[in-house]
Amino acid sequence: FGLSNKFDTEFPSVLTGKVAPEEFKTSISRVNTCLRKNLPVNVKWLLCGCLCCCCTLGCSLWPVVCLNKRTRRSIQKLLEWENNRLYHKLGLHWKLSKRKCETSNMMEYVILIEFLPKYPIFRPD
């Protein structure tokens, strides 16, 4: 379903001076903990769904789809919490985004870190 089993904790050089490496690693480890907690359940349901797929005409894969959607939502909520807690104050926005893989035509989810535009607060309305 395109969801990675963990995200890389290596500090990107474009964030140097914007956010502390410790904060970055803490945020990524929270996301990885969420993935580590949810993905083994998804894999078990996927195997069970694949085994019963012929008998159920594909309906046995619905629990996997729902669990994957729940995992994505929990990561999005976690990223929104991180944004409200720290990153919006620093002018950054984290979000989960779907992208095409570089090596194949498959889609994968990545964490995008966007820079928010600065608003001129001294300019009158």
Side-chain angles (χ1 to χ4, degrees), residues 12-79:
S13 60
V14 295
L15 294 180
T16 303
K18 300 278 186 195
V19 70
E22 297 82 22
E23 285 291 339
F24 175 82
K25 287 184 182 184
T26 302
S27 298
I28 291 292
S29 67
R30 283 187 183 124
V31 172
N32 285 339
T33 301
C34 181
L35 286 171
R36 190 172 35 247
K37 183 174 68 173
N38 291 325
L39 285 182
V41 176
N42 294 7
V43 170
K44 289 176 187 173
W45 276 101
L46 179 64
L47 291 175
C48 180
C50 287
L51 290 174
C52 302
C53 187
C54 294
C55 300
T56 62
L57 301 174
C59 292
S60 59
L61 293 175
W62 274 108
V64 179
V65 173
C66 294
L67 286 171
N68 188 48
K69 193 173 192 179
R70 187 180 76 178
T71 303
R72 277 195 329 261
R73 264 197 234 125
S74 65
I75 291 172
Q76 288 169 344
K77 285 182 181 181
L78 177 64
L79 290 177

Side-chain angles (χ1 to χ4, degrees), residues 11-21 23-24 86-94 113-116 118:
F11 187 72
S13 60
V14 295
L15 294 180
T16 303
K18 300 278 186 195
V19 70
E23 285 291 339
F24 175 82
L86 175 69
Y87 294 108
H88 282 173
K89 296 172 190 168
L90 299 174
L92 299 171
H93 180 77
W94 288 38
I113 303 173
E114 299 173 335
F115 293 96
L116 296 175
K118 293 184 180 180

